[in-house]
Amino acid sequence: MKLGSPFRPRLLSALLISIFLGSAPATPAQERGELRIATSYKLMTLDPQYANLNENTSLLSHIYERLVYQDDNLELKPGLATSWRPLSDTQWAFKLRDKVRFHDGSAFDADDVVYTIERIRDFLEPPSGGFRSYVSGIKSVSAPDPLTVLIETDGAVPNLPLFFSSIFVMNRPSEGFETTEDLNAGHPPNGTGPYRFESWSSGESLRLTRNDDYWGGKPAWSKVTFRVIENPAARVAALSTGEVDVADAIPARDVASLKERGARVASVGAARVNFVQFDVARDTLPGVTDKSGEPIANPFKNPLVRRALTLATDRGILVDKILAGYGTAAAQVFPNGLPGTSAKLLPEAPNYDEAKMLLAKAGFPDGFNLVLAGPAGRYPGDAESLQAVAQSWARIGVNAQPAAAPFSVFNTKRAAGDYGVWYGGTSGEAVDIILHTLLASPDPERGTGALNFGKYRNEAFDAMLARAESIAVGPERNAALAQATELVMADQPIIPLYHFHHIVGYGSRIGSYVLHPRGWTTAMQTLAAME
């Protein structure tokens, strides 16, 4: 079982800037024609501000850019903004990069940033995955000069730069706001990124051409074509036969065969966690009974039961067998070593004897029955993980019946309260965003607990998290987040299982592929092979 950090040594900062911010400048030997990528990401809109989903973030990052970006250690780096600083608790100043142009030749300036914020905050009506939460606290935004943006917030927002690492900047039109319908209907996307839009077929392909005037240096590839291939076996086959140069979301089980056929593989631990979550609020739960099938009081309200099930969970089987080593056992919401994580929290090996003792102490010496729900096909190894967890729990007398369903079905039933305990997963830009969403007490006014379907509440943790969120991004904030994480994980409202690895395969035309823990798939991460 892999217990350490999955992250490779840090790359040279200049290389990171060129790869994750834009494109590595091409030398004559590096220049190539078309780069062909098979992706699992189905781009369904050309509006870069409509839905906060990885498929949009990855593919549209070729065309659009952000004020701030996150490197492969999730540290903030300059993007279209060269610097930023707080002027007070509620005021920020962002200085913008000079001599940047949009693909139509117009100059990028502060008015474009003002338009971007106002479009998201005041105009768009996005789905649940939209970006409005990132700008809802902005009271006003202004442009005192072409390269300065002043932002005033309703209250202290010390991590405002982090929010901008997720927002693409759009070009201000001559009047009004561009609609999502207009962008999807043929208005050419107009960004500042390293590649220009050529064509798009919803759910099938995206074609791009090189932006020779890109401010970050001429990209290596003259053309880039993304083919949407949702079936993993079909992506593997396309890479194996040379139909594509890169294929993302490679199943761990196919890595060995790909290598035998001459392909190479890159992987990195994902900035996300897969976990078991308990309903700790209701008095009785669906599917939770004694051994005779009679309903019982909710056992998950007792922290001893949650602790027992944690000790009876064999993460080693999940990582080594189900994920074939392409995962890292989890003890918190992000892999160890990322900002805000605790070095004190390490995955434990199962201890079935202690788990049985805790169950008996909690009043369940014979265990109980439950239904363990989860999605099938949503995450690597999800259905198999349900089976493995159920087998582990059976060793302490907890008989778990796995119930895997398509994600849409599972998600609907989970929201409706049809489950008492379930397997899930989530990701985000930073540790505090996951804690805020997954473990903080549900509070619509504060916007906390959106994914806290178990209705877990811990006032001490809420206070510690609020304090951490009031600190500016940096070491002090990271330490406060680590302390809050230590406190909440001692109470076991969830069982962190693993951080699966993003796996990408690439062929002979590719020299290297630099993965990012956010799971993006871009041409900018792909360096051409040297001749």
Side-chain angles (χ1 to χ4, degrees):
M1 179 167 64
K2 298 180 181 177
L3 300 183
S5 169
F7 292 94
R8 58 196 177 283
R10 299 280 75 83
L11 299 176
L12 293 175
S13 59
L15 178 61
L16 284 173
I17 290 172
S18 67
I19 291 172
F20 293 119
L21 177 57
S23 175
T27 66
Q30 285 179 303
E31 287 204 24
R32 294 293 185 272
E34 181 182 15
L35 174 67
R36 305 158 302 169
I37 301 177
T39 181
S40 59
Y41 291 138
K42 181 186 287 188
L43 180 65
M44 300 305 292
T45 179
L46 292 178
D47 187 337
Q49 298 168 354
Y50 182 68
N52 188 9
L53 301 171
N54 245 13
E55 40 265 66
N56 291 346
T57 299
S58 292
L59 301 184
L60 294 181
S61 67
H62 296 79
I63 302 169
Y64 297 97
E65 295 181 292
R66 311 168 183 85
L67 292 180
V68 183
Y69 84 101
Q70 289 179 292
D71 68 12
D72 72 338
N73 198 32
L74 302 189
E75 301 287 357
L76 299 182
K77 301 294 181 183
L80 290 176
T82 57
S83 65
W84 49 89
R85 64 187 180 94
L87 304 178
S88 70
D89 286 345
T90 59
Q91 291 183 316
W92 284 82
F94 286 76
K95 290 295 183 180
L96 305 183
R97 195 174 297 277
D98 195 9
K99 298 179 181 178
V100 175
R101 293 196 171 274
F102 287 93
H103 296 162
D104 67 356
S106 59
F108 160 72
D109 62 24
D111 282 339
D112 300 305
V113 179
V114 173
Y115 169 78
T116 290
I117 293 171
E118 292 179 342
R119 182 176 187 264
I120 296 172
R121 186 191 62 187
D122 305 331
F123 177 71
L124 286 181
E125 294 293 338
S128 59
F131 294 88
R132 183 168 291 176
S133 62
Y134 296 134
V135 299
S136 59
I138 294 178
K139 182 178 180 180
S140 64
V141 54
S142 60
D145 65 64
L147 296 179
T148 303
V149 176
L150 294 181
I151 295 174
E152 183 175 357
T153 58
D154 289 320
V157 186
N159 61 338
L160 186 66
L162 175 65
F163 291 165
F164 284 122
S165 72
S166 291
I167 295 174
F168 288 124
V169 175
M170 294 180 65
N171 182 221
R172 177 187 285 276
S174 57
E175 59 181 30
F177 293 102
E178 284 189 280
T179 68
T180 300
E181 291 74 20
D182 286 342
L183 287 167
N184 290 338
H187 285 203
N190 184 29
T192 60
Y195 291 92
R196 301 171 182 266
F197 174 81
E198 182 177 304
S199 66
W200 169 62
S201 179
S202 178
E204 295 182 9
S205 65
L206 174 68
R207 298 180 185 278
L208 307 164
T209 57
R210 181 168 57 202
N211 177 13
D212 289 331
D213 299 322
Y214 180 55
W215 63 267
K218 190 166 75 170
W221 306 97
S222 61
K223 291 183 178 293
V224 178
T225 297
F226 283 91
R227 289 175 51 192
V228 178
I229 304 178
E230 294 186 87
N231 183 279
R235 285 196 304 279
V236 169
L239 179 60
S240 298
T241 59
E243 294 177 41
V244 298
D245 303 302
V246 176
D248 67 14
I250 298 295
R253 63 178 179 271
D254 292 319
V255 168
S257 63
L258 269 178
K259 289 182 176 179
E260 289 174 359
R261 300 174 199 172
R264 284 173 289 173
V265 169
S267 69
V268 70
R272 62 172 306 119
V273 65
N274 286 73
F275 53 85
V276 170
Q277 189 172 34
F278 305 103
D279 184 322
V280 299
R282 291 180 286 176
D283 293 332
T284 59
L285 298 174
V288 180
T289 70
D290 62 19
K291 289 298 183 69
S292 65
E294 293 298 317
I296 59 174
N298 182 354
F300 308 130
K301 286 189 173 186
N302 191 329
L304 294 178
V305 173
R306 303 197 297 269
R307 176 61 179 159
L309 292 173
T310 299
L311 285 172
T313 301
D314 190 343
R315 297 173 177 88
I317 290 178
L318 302 178
V319 170
D320 296 334
K321 303 298 183 183
I322 294 174
L323 298 179
Y326 285 91
T328 304
Q332 54 192 312
V333 298
F334 267 9
N336 287 24
L338 287 179
T341 57
S342 169
K344 297 179 182 179
L345 293 176
L346 299 173
E348 299 175 277
N351 188 329
Y352 300 108
D353 290 337
E354 185 177 349
K356 288 179 182 179
M357 291 174 57
L358 291 174
L359 270 189
K361 188 175 180 180
F364 300 97
D366 298 322
F368 50 89
N369 299 336
L370 60 83
V371 173
L372 178 60
R378 174 72 173 180
Y379 311 109
D382 48 14
E384 297 91 337
S385 293
L386 290 181
Q387 296 285 346
V389 171
Q391 290 172 11
S392 290
W393 289 358
R395 297 183 61 170
I396 63 169
V398 175
N399 296 329
Q401 177 186 345
F407 181 73
S408 59
V409 175
F410 163 78
N411 200 35
T412 299
K413 288 189 173 184
R414 180 178 58 178
D418 290 354
Y419 304 133
V421 57
W422 55 89
Y423 163 101
T426 189
S427 64
E429 296 90 342
V431 161
D432 55 299
I433 290 176
I434 303 298
L435 297 175
H436 187 95
T437 304
L438 182 64
L439 297 175
S441 300
D443 185 340
E445 290 188 6
R446 290 184 58 227
T448 57
L451 296 181
N452 185 353
F453 295 107
K455 301 298 187 288
Y456 171 76
R457 294 182 180 275
N458 185 327
E459 292 183 1
F461 167 68
D462 290 340
M464 290 184 71
L465 179 60
R467 176 188 171 276
E469 291 180 321
S470 71
I471 303 170
V473 173
E476 184 182 354
R477 181 188 183 96
N478 292 340
L481 288 171
Q483 292 172 0
T485 301
E486 291 163 10
L487 182 137
V488 74
M489 292 316 306
D491 205 24
Q492 304 287 178
I494 63 171
I495 303 176
L497 298 178
Y498 53 75
H499 314 286
F500 67 72
H501 289 188
H502 298 297
I503 308 174
V504 169
Y506 55 96
S508 60
R509 296 179 67 232
I510 308 303
S512 63
Y513 189 93
V514 183
L515 271 162
H516 193 279
R518 293 281 299 276
W520 299 323
T521 302
T522 74
M524 293 82 78
Q525 296 162 251
T526 307
L527 302 183
M530 300 292 289
E531 290 184 343

